[in-house]
Amino acid sequence: MTTPAGSGAGFGSVSWWGLSPALDLQAESPPVDSDLRDNTEPRTPELDVLLVGSVDGRHLLRTLARAALWPRRRLHFYVLENNLEAVARHMLIFSLALEEPEKMGLQERSETFLEVWGNALLRPQVAAFVRAQAARLAHLVPEPDRLEEQLPWISLGALKFRERDALEAVFRFWAGGEKEPEAFPMSRFWDSRLRHYLGSRYDARHGVSDWDLHMKLHDRGARVIHTREFRRWRDTGVAFELRDSSAYHVPNRTLASGRFLSHHGERIAARGYWGDIATGPFVAFGIETDDESLLRTSNGQPVKTAGEITQHNVTELFREMAAWGRPRNTQGNPEQMCHGEDRGDRDRGDREDGQGASPERTASAPGFFTVRFLPLGSAETLHHKSCYKGRFQLLYVACGMVHLLSPDLGACVAPGGRLVVELARYLVDLRQEQLQGFAARVGELAQAAGFTPPPQARPSETFARFCKALDSAGQHTDSASESMTPPPDTLALALENQSQPLKGGTPPS
């Protein structure tokens, strides 16, 4: 049976990369409070950001790379995902991005990132790196003290114990790739997903991919994606071919996730690839760049491909981050902040940000930052904890998580805070009228959550931006009916007939 156009089946039920360009979150957040700037007492301003479904860390990486362009600020990123595999990928990606330059050069780090992040198949040396890092992280997750010592920028303190156990199991599965090469036959999984998605169009898949690229992605602004690279990704899952094609043959286990499937009337646990097979990882870093020369055209055609632009942008991000060295974390569990137990740590953090610190330490970091992972499914309960209610100056919601945007979640944003919602512009399965309907639905959910469009806002088809009134504190209600807003129809279709993901349990072996 042919998959109908506009079904959304190519979106998948698990997101591995974003469907929008990377943002500098400081540019999206409210400006630094003038009272803090004028305060004679030395204190570094802070920015608390809640990211719901950001999946690939692209916004965090760009924000950190551009931190030197902004006044000094301590950055606290709170990341909420709907599966532990995404949390594990966050940790792996940041471990790679913050790797010591002496251990891995800039070019090698960039190429490794691109393969792990966006390729279904890896080169053997990259697969060996994933196994080694996964084994290391598997040992660190159950040992908080060692984790804080070796990865001081990360906090798993808010995760439940069973989530940490499941996270360790994910890393152990990644680390076992050499012993069990057939445990995750990625090429077979990819082809199976493609056949199910295309149906009777499978034999004409090159024509389908060309149509989706030229009539949809190009028309929506992603003209730098080249036919050859897009067709290759649709066929094999390899988006970034930095070496000879024969070098890519090891399955990328970081794209595996567990699900419950129905088999002969029984629910069984299975592992497979349930992610995007329609748009690809080109949008996040490959269609916009600070270097305008990369966007030049010749005879109406872009001179650079999305893969080349992606490699340039990622290399520049890592170059900027290498310039300020590795960060230091001195804060404890985020739950302790509810009781004011981290006041001494905050003062100590101020000193590490330059107040009373040595010149060497001041130059080693652009500003104090932490990445804290929140429990799965906690979007509807965060407002019950006083430490999160009204805490965040910026809330980011991915298009696949819009159904979580509710008055309860809005209560976690401080008065005057900002909301950025990723729109479905680059979902190729959605027609124009569906995109418009989705954007309208986002506006309704944002308004119900206490946000309004900012005055004189620039129109955007990629992100919807809102702000919270300065006098909006106290308007939140705890109505259960308000907090359970249904997902927009156009994206609900993307999840139709998909089995439920494993959440918090140990993935199948």
Side-chain angles (χ1 to χ4, degrees):
M1 179 179 179
T2 300
T3 303
S7 68
F11 179 67
S13 56
V14 179
S15 297
W16 296 125
W17 41 74
L19 298 176
S20 58
L23 293 174
D24 179 357
L25 298 177
Q26 291 211 67
E28 303 292 337
S29 64
V32 176
D33 192 339
S34 59
D35 292 339
L36 291 178
R37 280 199 300 260
D38 298 338
N39 196 341
T40 56
E41 180 183 352
R43 178 186 171 192
T44 303
E46 299 183 357
L47 175 63
D48 294 300
V49 181
L50 174 60
L51 300 105
V52 182
S54 61
V55 301
D56 59 2
R58 67 193 186 284
H59 302 313
L60 278 64
L61 292 174
R62 180 165 173 81
T63 301
L64 294 174
R66 295 174 60 86
L69 303 178
W70 297 92
R72 185 178 299 276
R73 223 172 184 182
R74 296 222 309 272
L75 307 174
H76 307 287
F77 303 111
Y78 293 76
V79 178
L80 196 161
E81 302 291 349
N82 65 359
N83 64 88
L84 289 170
E85 291 86 356
V87 174
R89 276 183 46 105
H90 272 291
M91 295 176 64
L92 178 64
I93 286 172
F94 264 85
S95 298
L96 173 60
L98 299 175
E99 185 68 87
E100 293 283 1
E102 296 79 10
K103 295 181 180 179
M104 181 177 287
L106 185 62
Q107 180 178 350
E108 182 185 2
R109 194 184 323 168
S110 302
E111 293 179 351
T112 301
F113 171 87
L114 292 180
E115 291 189 32
V116 173
W117 172 65
N119 281 1
L121 301 174
L122 306 175
R123 290 178 292 145
Q125 56 266 44
V126 175
F129 169 82
V130 172
R131 289 194 298 270
Q133 287 295 314
R136 174 195 176 206
L137 293 170
H139 284 95
L140 292 180
V141 167
E143 300 187 28
D145 292 339
R146 287 187 60 198
L147 179 66
E148 184 177 1
E149 177 185 351
Q150 296 191 29
L151 303 177
W153 43 265
I154 196 172
S155 172
L156 303 178
L159 294 183
K160 301 174 183 177
F161 286 111
R162 67 173 181 269
E163 291 174 335
R164 295 187 214 179
D165 292 342
L167 186 62
E168 180 186 355
V170 170
F171 286 126
R172 294 201 181 281
F173 171 71
W174 293 0
E178 192 172 30
K179 300 176 182 178
E180 306 172 37
E182 298 303 320
F184 185 64
M186 183 62 174
S187 295
R188 180 164 61 84
F189 288 148
W190 186 273
D191 186 68
S192 177
R193 280 271 289 133
L194 200 60
R195 287 176 182 273
H196 183 267
Y197 170 56
L198 295 177
S200 61
R201 300 180 298 169
Y202 178 80
D203 290 337
R205 56 191 178 277
H206 288 170
V208 174
S209 67
D210 291 348
W211 174 271
D212 287 343
L213 176 62
H214 292 281
M215 304 305 294
K216 296 179 181 179
L217 289 175
H218 282 186
D219 283 353
R220 297 175 189 179
R223 291 186 56 83
V224 293
I225 303 178
H226 195 275
T227 301
R228 184 175 60 253
E229 63 185 350
F230 188 73
R231 184 183 292 180
R232 181 188 64 233
W233 174 78
R234 276 280 185 96
D235 282 347
T236 65
V238 177
F240 308 106
E241 194 174 86
L242 309 174
R243 297 291 186 276
D244 185 81
S245 60
S246 62
Y248 299 90
H249 57 82
V250 182
N252 185 355
R253 289 192 169 207
T254 73
L255 298 180
S257 60
R259 302 196 64 81
F260 286 114
L261 301 177
S262 178
H263 182 70
H264 298 304
E266 297 183 2
R267 285 164 61 83
I268 61 172
R271 180 180 274 118
Y273 178 77
W274 318 107
D276 170 37
I277 57 169
T279 301
F282 305 104
V283 175
F285 293 107
I287 65 174
E288 294 183 0
T289 179
D290 295 331
D291 187 351
E292 295 294 333
S293 66
L294 298 177
L295 302 177
R296 289 187 297 109
T297 60
S298 177
N299 297 323
Q301 297 298 318
V303 298
K304 296 293 184 181
T305 66
E308 292 171 327
I309 295 174
T310 297
Q311 186 174 9
H312 168 83
N313 285 341
V314 169
T315 301
E316 290 305 308
L317 287 181
F318 289 170
R319 190 192 311 277
E320 292 294 330
M321 294 177 69
W324 48 257
R326 300 180 68 184
R328 295 173 173 82
N329 180 4
T330 58
Q331 291 195 336
N333 189 312
E335 300 299 325
Q336 296 175 354
M337 300 167 72
C338 297
H339 305 94
E341 296 179 8
D342 66 326
R343 186 176 305 276
D345 288 333
R346 285 176 177 267
D347 294 339
R348 193 158 58 250
D350 283 333
R351 291 194 297 272
E352 290 197 3
D353 277 340
Q355 304 298 334
S358 66
E360 291 79 7
R361 296 188 71 182
T362 303
S364 67
F368 177 84
F369 84 90
T370 54
V371 181
R372 305 184 187 280
F373 295 100
L374 301 177
L376 306 186
S378 61
E380 297 173 359
T381 59
L382 282 180
H383 70 285
H384 290 310
K385 296 184 178 180
S386 59
C387 59
Y388 295 129
K389 193 167 185 178
R391 178 184 188 88
F392 303 103
Q393 291 91 43
L394 178 63
L395 168 62
Y396 173 86
V397 181
C399 64
M401 305 281 269
V402 167
H403 59 284
L404 297 177
L405 182 55
S406 66
D408 290 340
L409 191 60
C412 297
V413 179
R418 308 288 174 81
L419 166 67
V420 178
V421 181
E422 179 186 56
L423 298 179
R425 179 181 185 180
Y426 297 107
L427 280 178
V428 299
D429 288 305
L430 301 188
R431 303 185 185 95
Q432 192 61 38
E433 58 270 23
Q434 292 175 308
L435 295 178
Q436 295 172 355
F438 180 76
R441 181 61 174 152
V442 166
E444 295 171 1
L445 293 174
Q447 184 176 4
F451 297 90
T452 58
Q456 300 178 344
R458 294 175 299 171
S460 172
E461 298 179 39
T462 308
F463 298 101
R465 294 174 170 86
F466 305 90
C467 59
K468 193 171 185 181
L470 290 171
D471 59 351
S472 61
Q475 293 183 4
H476 166 68
T477 62
D478 291 325
S479 170
S481 61
E482 286 182 333
S483 65
M484 297 298 291
T485 46
D489 293 339
T490 52
L491 278 185
L493 286 170
L495 306 179
E496 190 175 354
N497 297 325
Q498 297 282 356
S499 51
Q500 292 299 313
L502 296 175
K503 293 183 179 180
T506 303
S509 57

